[in-house]
Amino acid sequence: MGFRATPRVRSLHSFPGITVAQIDEEVAKLLQLKAQIGGDDGKHQFVLKTAKGTRDYNPKQMAIREKVFSTIIGCFKRHGAETIDTPVFELKETLTGKYGEDSKLIYDLKDQGGELLSLRYDLTVPFARYLAMNKITNIKRYHIAKVYRRDNPAMTRGRYREFYQCDFDIAGQYDAMIPDAECLKIVHEILSGLDLGDFRIKVNDRRILDGMFAVCGVPDDKFRTICSTVDKLDKMPWEDVRKEMVNEKGLSEEAADQIGEYVSLQGGMDLAERLLQDQKMSQSKQACAGLSDIKLLFSYLQLFQATDKVVFDLSLARGLDYYTGIIYEAVLTQAGVATVSTEAQNGAEESVSVGSVAGGGRYDGLVGMFDPKGRKVPCVGVSIGIERIFSIMEQKAEAAAEKVRTTEVQVMVASAQKNLLEERLQLVSELWNAGIKAEVMYKKNPKLLSQLQHCEESGIPLVAILGEQELKDGVVKLRVVASREEERAEEIVCSDKISIRTLDPSQFDQFNSVYFV
Amino acid sequence: MGFRATPRVRSLHSFPGITVAQIDEEVAKLLQLKAQIGGDDGKHQFVLKTAKGTRDYNPKQMAIREKVFSTIIGCFKRHGAETIDTPVFELKETLTGKYGEDSKLIYDLKDQGGELLSLRYDLTVPFARYLAMNKITNIKRYHIAKVYRRDNPAMTRGRYREFYQCDFDIAGQYDAMIPDAECLKIVHEILSGLDLGDFRIKVNDRRILDGMFAVCGVPDDKFRTICSTVDKLDKMPWEDVRKEMVNEKGLSEEAADQIGEYVSLQGGMDLAERLLQDQKMSQSKQACAGLSDIKLLFSYLQLFQATDKVVFDLSLARGLDYYTGIIYEAVLTQAGVATVSTEAQNGAEESVSVGSVAGGGRYDGLVGMFDPKGRKVPCVGVSIGIERIFSIMEQKAEAAAEKVRTTEVQVMVASAQKNLLEERLQLVSELWNAGIKAEVMYKKNPKLLSQLQHCEESGIPLVAILGEQELKDGVVKLRVVASREEERAEEIVCSDKISIRTLDPSQFDQFNSVYFV
């Protein structure tokens, strides 16, 4: 599939200003229209596909998704978070001016009479709108929902136009770095809990970056653009970053070289301490405030037993404009995992950063942008890169040839002989009423073999077999599908035909929620 | 708030063809544009609201939503259902021709270059598209997701432009009425489980309706329109329905009166049997097929112990075109519940049907509309009216003045004296690591009173109190917030300052997931 149009533009030099991708899209649209016009007889061919950059989740993917969600939500709840939800679209103006250049990637709804609406681009801006609108000044909440970006998707790397975001944020005026440290602790717990291999959490501070630019002689009005060049250090070598600073952004060579020295530094609390003594750096009040906070952060992370994975890294410069303090990003460091997800894809320019699975920071000014009086609500938060994690988990399951169960059925009610539909329906109903997850085939006379095959295919651990003899004896034969062990469930006392008197649900407990068999 | 434009149109008779609602919308749009144009200095006023007909869910609403979901999903899983998910938007043409007149309520996305897209209008059409696209002929799946309709929302009655649907469907070629009966069993289990008061499930069959129309002398080309008039019987008396049939739809008085006799009938298996003997009805092969299936359905429902709530009701005629066999609808019969949800609202025209909380039926032709070769996949399904249920639960919680917990925190780590931040952070971290849901205040020196108040406000049942004495003794004081009982948690062995050696998470189990205190 050709998601990348750029390489093909060359062959079209006779049509300046138009790309092959644009032509493709126009053709697709015209064909779609044609199908609709010609289709009034109800017999036209549908284009059977999902919209570009989107996908269905099949039951196997959903089982993995649920498992990931349950780990993550479990962690958020352990930390006392509430949850909220906001609509999938917002007033267009709510999103205006929040995403800089990326605004062009926002999906707008058609003007059908009424308000101008756009699909949400992230969960942070709706969160800030929610806080300002409801005058909330204190909340610890998570929000897991899909967001929308008209990006050129690279779906083989787990990037889509419709994708989940999974955000945890703490809003409120608190003592320095305590909520910030909890966010990092949460990243630590989640990435450990998901068992994705080793990881590292890089931290830095917007104030340290700004202070560094100042003491290195970057003009004030170039902070943001130089910062976004530094942000590329995880994707390209220093030499190229330096070239961009000097040649494209017009920075002096001296300034670039001084930046180069700082951004190569990595360490822990010791590095923060050293930089506080650094002759140049210590001239910036901003940088000093940031460095003191990094020290405080590490002291809290020690109490949280989380320093093993955290690195103070001066090259970390997350793109988003709204960060005001600490910023962080977690990356998977096991090459294996990162490689799997790029192999299927030709372009390699993003392969280095494939390991990024979480990121966030402090944004003390955003909510104030929505408040009529500009009242600020300090916030710090983290976003878990859940789509990337889904992809990795799916690849892992495939690589291990794991059989992922897509239902939680504990027992299949089957019969060996014909004409026992009523007895099967009655038994399965008793099981449902007792809270047991049970299934029955929707056939009058299914073959025993096909009933057992269904158990094996979908991983149902137990089968309850009804037969003439069992009915006569008033028992049900329970068979463990994997071992073929059988036992006559004597405690299932049957009278008359098969009205079950007592049934102890606990006997099924050991077969509860076996996801992977 | 004025969601209903119709009553106000009269005052505008000098502008034919335009309604006040349309003018309101245009004005809103212009004001929005004005705000954007004038707002480039970054200081303009935002309109702090969600889009018309949508709402945020606050933590309390989310707690109720999660509780409802967990009951419903628990039931679906007990019946062995898988789950899938589809994108929020589909190619526009996927939705074309599926909703008849209601198509005007579909939200389209703006043409930004690329495919023409629309927000999903329900989950059934995406499900059919999914089956056809993946050539799936057998599946039992549920899907809970939001759908979008540009309706005039009546939000006080729990009706929105963005709302959840909650669908369970069984696709596949099976023996008659077995999956159909399971769908009704599921409705029975869910409505019983949610404890919404008494309910009734009305069933009928599209073939019985069509057969009835035929033997009553309704011309073939009037079946659908007469059917949609019958559908209004839950909202208006027979006299008005008859008038519409005769005066507006041009049906003969004799035909209308014959229909009138049939649609007044209600009963169980006996009624189906009687109608099979009915001189007129028995002339229709279609009707007989439907009636035999109703008999079969009741026999299976008897095995499922679900007949107590099920009524065969010949006046039930669900609107959707795609039903081909059995149809059903569940209504709450306790006037109390139904009334609460309409009181807040002036117009009363829909108050009678407010009790409807689930509906569905068999649709054997829909998937074939998507298959290039028209291959059919028989389907039967049910949709739970989950927004209505949310509203009722919210009102119930409010009426009972219940305190709804929005977090699941089991223990708050507090201190009685100053300068114990480090000890608190260390203890809360130990608790998190042991899987216990715990919180700590993000202050260096919070007052004990404010820590205890936080527990009472958010329903945290336990508080672990650290003090100089406890630290010396190597213990933690555990206090039950409600009773103020205290015990020294001796099994929390502390050495040095407060590095905890053993901590038995089971002692917190009794305080687990207490939703309502």
Side-chain angles (χ1 to χ4, degrees), chain B residues 274-439:
Chain B
R274 225 173 69 213
L275 288 171
L276 273 171
Q277 311 303 324
D278 182 87
Q279 221 187 339
K280 218 161 43 194
M281 197 67 114
S282 60
Q283 288 166 13
S284 161
K285 262 193 192 171
Q286 269 206 85
C288 290
L291 290 164
S292 303
D293 274 352
I294 290 278
K295 275 180 62 184
L296 196 55
L297 177 75
F298 270 94
S299 75
Y300 294 151
L301 291 176
Q302 262 162 16
L303 300 169
F304 286 166
Q305 296 168 286
T307 42
D308 59 328
K309 307 290 185 193
V310 183
V311 180
F312 172 32
D313 182 332
L314 275 93
S315 74
L316 179 71
R318 287 173 64 74
L320 288 169
D321 270 8
Y322 53 62
Y323 289 122
T324 55
I326 190 182
I327 50 178
Y328 35 84
E329 187 166 297
V331 290
L332 299 180
T333 52
Q334 279 189 324
V337 177
T339 317
V340 173
S341 55
T342 46
E343 258 173 9
Q345 123 87 22
N346 302 324
E349 69 271 51
E350 280 188 281
S351 57
V352 193
S353 67
V354 158
S356 167
V357 285
R362 177 163 284 282
Y363 52 101
D364 289 347
L366 189 63
V367 179
M369 287 176 73
F370 287 97
D371 189 282
K373 293 185 181 158
R375 276 169 298 214
K376 287 189 176 180
V377 178
C379 292
V380 63
V382 61
S383 188
I384 308 294
I386 203 160
E387 294 282 348
R388 178 99 13 120
I389 292 170
F390 292 153
S391 293
I392 295 169
M393 300 291 275
E394 281 171 24
Q395 284 156 2
K396 269 178 72 173
E398 216 163 297
E402 272 171 318
K403 201 167 147 58
V404 179
R405 282 203 69 182
T406 58
T407 76
E408 299 175 14
V409 176
Q410 298 162 289
V411 60
M412 169 91 185
V413 174
S415 60
Q417 286 107 359
K418 287 195 168 189
N419 299 322
L420 292 173
L421 172 64
E422 295 198 351
E423 290 75 6
R424 281 190 292 128
L425 293 183
Q426 205 174 342
L427 177 56
V428 77
S429 174
E430 295 283 342
L431 292 170
W432 291 329
N433 292 346
I436 291 158
K437 295 166 193 145
E439 252 190 329

Side-chain angles (χ1 to χ4, degrees), chain A residues 114 119 165 190 200 319 367 430 450 473:
Chain A
L119 297 186
Q165 282 200 339
I190 288 174
R200 200 142 316 286
V367 178
E430 294 284 342
S450 69
D473 299 353

Side-chain angles (χ1 to χ4, degrees), chain A residues 49 82 115 175 182 406 442, chain B residues 49 82 115 182 406 442:
Chain A
K49 65 186 286 290
E82 307 178 297
E115 301 156 330
D175 283 327
E182 187 171 9
T406 57
Y442 302 128
Chain B
K49 64 186 287 289
E82 306 177 297
E115 299 156 331
E182 187 171 9
T406 58
Y442 304 128

Side-chain angles (χ1 to χ4, degrees), chain A residues 132-184:
Chain A
M133 184 172 138
N134 296 289
K135 299 192 173 44
I136 294 167
T137 54
N138 281 285
I139 193 170
K140 177 159 59 177
R141 81 90 181 78
Y142 67 91
H143 188 186
I144 301 179
K146 288 176 181 171
V147 302
Y148 300 87
R149 299 185 182 180
R150 296 181 64 253
D151 218 335
N152 270 329
M155 300 198 289
T156 45
R157 282 181 310 221
R159 284 182 55 200
Y160 292 87
R161 288 184 161 193
E162 174 187 62
F163 60 97
Y164 268 102
Q165 282 200 339
C166 175
D167 284 13
F168 172 94
D169 296 84
I170 301 172
Q173 185 69 57
Y174 299 117
D175 283 327
M177 304 316 280
I178 312 179
D180 313 59
E182 187 171 9
C183 287
L184 294 185

Side-chain angles (χ1 to χ4, degrees), chain A residues 124-358:
Chain A
T124 309
V125 167
F127 176 54
R129 192 263 308 146
Y130 174 82
L131 294 188
M133 184 172 138
N134 296 289
K135 299 192 173 44
I136 294 167
T137 54
N138 281 285
I139 193 170
K140 177 159 59 177
R141 81 90 181 78
Y142 67 91
H143 188 186
I144 301 179
K146 288 176 181 171
V147 302
Y148 300 87
R149 299 185 182 180
R150 296 181 64 253
D151 218 335
N152 270 329
M155 300 198 289
T156 45
R157 282 181 310 221
R159 284 182 55 200
Y160 292 87
R161 288 184 161 193
E162 174 187 62
F163 60 97
Y164 268 102
Q165 282 200 339
C166 175
D167 284 13
F168 172 94
D169 296 84
I170 301 172
Q173 185 69 57
Y174 299 117
D175 283 327
M177 304 316 280
I178 312 179
D180 313 59
E182 187 171 9
C183 287
L184 294 185
K185 169 74 172 160
I186 281 173
V187 174
H188 194 286
E189 282 181 29
I190 288 174
L191 295 183
S192 306
L194 288 173
D195 204 17
L196 297 169
D198 203 14
F199 61 91
R200 200 142 316 286
I201 309 172
K202 303 183 207 169
V203 303
N204 198 1
D205 194 294
R206 177 53 64 90
R207 293 164 297 171
I208 298 174
L209 282 165
D210 284 353
M212 173 181 83
F213 294 142
V215 301
C216 291
V218 178
D220 281 12
D221 61 348
K222 286 199 171 145
F223 278 18
R224 282 289 165 274
T225 184
I226 292 300
C227 189
S228 78
T229 305
V230 169
D231 196 25
K232 296 179 184 169
L233 267 174
D234 57 347
K235 291 173 201 160
M236 52 199 221
W238 165 249
E239 273 318 306
D240 296 348
V241 168
R242 184 181 184 282
K243 217 175 283 172
E244 187 176 312
M245 287 178 176
V246 176
N247 300 351
E248 289 176 36
K249 313 241 160 136
L251 195 67
S252 73
E253 299 212 339
E254 300 71 46
D257 289 336
Q258 288 180 33
I259 291 172
E261 270 175 49
Y262 283 120
V263 295
S264 67
L265 300 175
Q266 287 195 348
M269 200 192 279
D270 51 320
L271 175 60
E273 228 147 288
R274 225 174 67 212
L275 288 171
L276 274 171
Q277 312 303 326
D278 183 87
Q279 220 189 341
K280 218 161 41 196
M281 198 67 115
S282 59
Q283 289 167 12
S284 161
K285 263 194 190 170
Q286 268 208 85
C288 290
L291 289 164
S292 303
D293 274 352
I294 290 279
K295 274 180 62 184
L296 196 55
L297 176 75
F298 269 94
S299 75
Y300 294 152
L301 290 176
Q302 262 162 16
L303 300 169
F304 287 167
Q305 296 169 286
T307 42
D308 57 329
K309 308 290 185 191
V310 182
V311 181
F312 172 33
D313 182 332
L314 276 93
S315 75
L316 178 71
R318 288 173 62 75
L320 288 169
D321 269 9
Y322 52 62
Y323 289 122
T324 54
I326 189 182
I327 50 178
Y328 36 83
E329 187 167 297
V331 291
L332 299 181
T333 52
Q334 280 189 324
V337 177
T339 318
V340 174
S341 55
T342 45
E343 260 173 8
Q345 122 87 22
N346 302 324
E349 71 269 51
E350 278 189 282
S351 57
V352 193
S353 67
V354 158
S356 167
V357 285

Side-chain angles (χ1 to χ4, degrees), chain B residues 106-224:
Chain B
I106 294 174
Y107 277 99
D108 292 329
L109 268 72
K110 190 168 152 186
D111 182 357
Q112 292 169 290
E115 299 156 331
L116 301 175
L117 305 173
S118 301
L119 297 187
R120 64 183 161 210
Y121 185 82
D122 66 11
L123 302 178
T124 310
V125 166
F127 175 54
R129 192 264 307 145
Y130 174 82
L131 295 187
M133 186 172 136
N134 296 288
K135 298 191 174 49
I136 294 167
T137 54
N138 282 285
I139 194 170
K140 176 159 60 179
R141 82 89 181 78
Y142 68 92
H143 188 187
I144 301 179
K146 288 175 182 170
V147 302
Y148 300 87
R149 301 185 181 179
R150 296 182 64 251
D151 219 334
N152 270 329
M155 300 196 289
T156 45
R157 282 182 311 223
R159 283 181 56 199
Y160 292 86
R161 288 184 163 194
E162 174 187 61
F163 60 97
Y164 267 102
Q165 283 202 339
C166 175
D167 285 13
F168 172 93
D169 296 85
I170 301 171
Q173 185 69 59
Y174 299 117
D175 283 326
M177 305 315 281
I178 311 178
D180 313 59
E182 187 171 9
C183 286
L184 294 185
K185 170 73 172 161
I186 282 173
V187 175
H188 194 287
E189 283 180 29
I190 287 174
L191 295 182
S192 306
L194 287 173
D195 204 17
L196 297 169
D198 204 13
F199 60 91
R200 202 144 311 290
I201 309 172
K202 303 183 206 168
V203 303
N204 198 1
D205 194 294
R206 179 51 66 87
R207 292 165 297 171
I208 298 174
L209 282 165
D210 284 352
M212 175 182 84
F213 293 142
V215 301
C216 291
V218 178
D220 282 11
D221 62 347
K222 287 200 169 142
F223 277 19
R224 281 289 165 275

